[in-house]
Amino acid sequence: MQQDERMEEALGILFEQFWVLRTDEPLVYHRLREQEHQLKRYVSEKFGFDLIVHQHFIKLEKIPVDPKVWMGIKSFVEPMDYAIFCCALAFTEGKSTDEQFLLTHLTEEIEEMYPGELPIDWTNYQHRKSLVRALKQLDALKLIRTVDGEIDAFAMNDTEEVLYEVSVHARYFMRSYPEDLFQYDAIDAILSSEWSRQKEDERRKRVYRKLMLSPVVYREGKDDLDFAYIRNFRNRLVDEFERYTPFRLEVFKNAALLVLPEAKQRYTLFPDKKGISTVALHLATSLRQEAIVPDEMGQIRMTLFEFHALIERTKHEHDAKWSKQYRESTPRVIAKELIQLLQNWELGKIEDESETVVIHSGFGRMIGT
């Protein structure tokens, strides 16, 4: 099937960026406007997504089937970061475009709104750092603009002042929901409400979302209808993704994934050039050499002690190719970082209650020599 390069470029931008701002990327904005009708029809039909085309921005509302560990804001490290971010959003939504405000005014409002059991204390360094991370994210998303001052200085001294200005984009960050947010009592209720809008072809839209938004889609049991759809319509899916995206679909007994034949700078890829990726690939090689028989779902389970021992054996054989950091690290330290990597890429996890390491079948797709 002939590749549609214009659609591939447009979809790549829409899926990889939170939004396209007209002031920042006018050429990209106008190219997307030219393809508006084709793009709207495609993302609605295949994914059930809304494409919002506004005079100031274009945004694809990307809603996953299931929220994942790696879907958070990368610069945030504490739940407090998200809470402060939301409080700051609520504050800016009450302001008019280009209205200026001082950091002290914002911090006072956040103190009043903050929903945590313990109150915010700006004399606490960790609380100030959390605010700094939240405001930097607001700035990065172009929801506010720094007029004067430097937010990093506030981390060192809670008397530092910064002058901000509300941007035209601030009130459009949050997506609209079918009901008032206060009607929902759990995240599952919010996700369920999304499907109430998708009366037609829900299965297809679930599958397209899973494949496009997850590193790997796994078979979750004998009666997994989503995975059965991938198998039954594999050829159609292969043609579709190869025509409109740079990805190639691979389907195995227990896993399906989109892979890039050639690395492209726009996408976040595994493996990358970080040292831990090299370690992970060598670990995959060692795991293959161990000839451990996986279970019916393609998973390999081992104790944390066994996982440390596997890393020790991998280290003994391959560490001449590792960076100094990992050559000099202990298996226990490496294991902690590896488990985080595997979780982020949905290649494995640790079951906290039993301290069992579960390696998913997607990791069997990897090897490093």
Side-chain angles (χ1 to χ4, degrees):
M1 186 175 286
Q2 188 176 359
Q3 197 170 18
D4 190 329
E5 292 182 359
R6 289 184 74 228
M7 279 288 282
E8 178 186 312
E9 176 72 11
L11 289 171
I13 291 166
L14 292 171
F15 272 93
E16 289 301 307
Q17 294 182 203
F18 179 76
W19 51 13
V20 174
L21 303 181
R22 186 176 184 174
T23 51
D24 287 10
E25 301 176 277
L27 292 177
V28 174
Y29 176 89
H30 287 296
R31 282 207 303 272
L32 293 176
R33 279 298 297 258
E34 289 170 2
Q35 296 172 260
E36 177 183 345
H37 298 299
Q38 185 183 6
L39 286 166
K40 276 188 172 180
R41 187 170 60 249
Y42 183 77
V43 296
S44 175
E45 181 185 318
K46 302 299 182 183
F47 299 91
F49 286 163
D50 292 325
L51 180 66
I52 299 168
V53 178
H54 188 275
Q55 62 173 325
H56 296 297
F57 65 88
I58 296 176
K59 178 186 178 189
L60 180 64
E61 293 280 24
K62 300 173 280 288
I63 304 164
V65 175
D66 302 300
K68 305 290 185 180
V69 171
W70 52 267
M71 288 181 177
I73 296 172
K74 287 183 173 59
S75 60
F76 286 2
V77 296
E78 300 286 347
M80 179 181 278
D81 299 0
Y82 289 94
I84 291 176
F85 180 82
C86 290
C87 290
L89 267 181
F91 174 84
T92 59
E93 284 197 350
K95 301 291 180 185
S96 56
T97 301
D98 297 333
E99 185 176 345
Q100 295 186 346
F101 62 91
L102 290 169
L103 179 60
T104 48
H105 185 195
L106 174 62
T107 54
E108 287 168 5
E109 291 286 324
I110 290 174
E111 275 186 73
E112 288 187 21
M113 283 190 274
Y114 187 71
E117 291 181 9
L118 296 174
I120 287 279
D121 177 8
W122 299 124
T123 64
N124 183 314
Y125 176 72
Q126 296 304 327
H127 291 194
R128 296 201 305 275
K129 284 291 287 181
S130 193
L131 176 74
V132 169
R133 288 190 291 268
L135 290 187
K136 281 189 170 181
Q137 187 63 32
L138 284 162
D139 200 347
L141 287 163
K142 304 297 173 68
L143 306 178
I144 58 175
R145 287 187 292 270
T146 305
V147 178
D148 189 31
E150 178 51 59
I151 187 59
D152 282 320
F154 180 77
M156 307 313 296
N157 184 349
D158 66 338
T159 63
E160 287 291 330
E161 193 59 279
V162 184
L163 180 64
Y164 287 108
E165 190 172 82
V166 178
S167 82
V168 70
H169 312 109
R171 63 186 70 251
Y172 301 107
F173 174 82
M174 288 289 286
R175 75 178 184 90
S176 57
Y177 293 89
E179 304 286 343
D180 187 300
L181 263 180
F182 288 104
Q183 301 296 316
Y184 305 109
D185 56 5
I187 191 170
D188 289 342
I190 296 176
L191 290 167
S192 296
S193 71
E194 162 63 14
W195 294 110
S196 66
R197 300 191 310 122
Q198 310 293 341
K199 301 296 185 185
E200 295 181 9
D201 304 313
E202 181 181 330
R203 181 77 53 205
R204 180 181 67 206
K205 291 168 183 175
R206 286 173 58 87
V207 166
Y208 271 82
R209 289 188 192 192
K210 283 184 174 183
L211 287 170
M212 199 68 163
L213 299 182
S214 293
V216 190
V217 177
Y218 293 105
R219 185 168 72 103
E220 296 178 0
K222 290 181 179 178
D223 301 320
D224 185 336
L225 297 179
D226 287 355
F227 203 82
Y229 182 100
I230 294 173
R231 280 187 171 163
N232 293 338
F233 295 96
R234 176 179 178 167
N235 291 340
R236 183 190 297 177
L237 289 165
V238 166
D239 289 344
E240 193 80 28
F241 282 109
E242 288 188 2
R243 180 177 182 182
Y244 293 115
T245 79
F247 304 117
R248 189 179 68 224
L249 176 66
E250 294 187 351
V251 182
F252 302 94
K253 179 185 176 184
N254 292 301
L257 63 158
L258 295 177
V259 299
L260 267 177
E262 295 179 21
K264 289 182 181 287
Q265 196 169 3
R266 170 175 292 142
Y267 301 99
T268 304
L269 306 173
F270 179 85
D272 55 21
K273 290 181 167 56
K274 292 178 182 174
I276 193 65
S277 289
T278 301
V279 174
L281 291 175
H282 285 145
L283 186 81
T285 305
S286 296
L287 202 56
R288 192 179 293 273
Q289 291 167 346
E290 300 268 327
I292 303 170
V293 179
D295 64 20
E296 188 186 351
M297 304 311 295
Q299 296 179 337
I300 293 173
R301 306 172 80 86
M302 62 182 73
T303 65
L304 200 52
F305 177 81
E306 290 170 332
F307 189 62
H308 290 162
L310 177 65
I311 292 171
E312 182 71 73
R313 293 193 293 276
T314 306
K315 191 171 188 288
H316 179 75
E317 186 172 350
H318 295 286
D319 75 347
K321 303 290 192 300
W322 294 3
S323 64
K324 183 181 178 184
Q325 176 186 350
Y326 299 106
R327 286 200 306 273
E328 296 179 354
S329 288
T330 65
R332 185 179 294 273
V333 171
I334 294 171
K336 193 172 180 181
E337 199 170 336
L338 268 176
I339 288 168
Q340 187 64 55
L341 179 79
L342 293 175
Q343 287 180 329
N344 286 345
W345 283 97
E346 297 182 38
L347 300 173
K349 64 181 180 181
I350 186 165
E351 294 176 342
D352 293 328
E353 64 279 1
S354 60
E355 287 205 327
T356 298
V357 178
V358 182
I359 308 293
H360 298 318
S361 61
F363 198 52
R365 171 69 173 74
M366 316 295 170
I367 193 167
T369 56

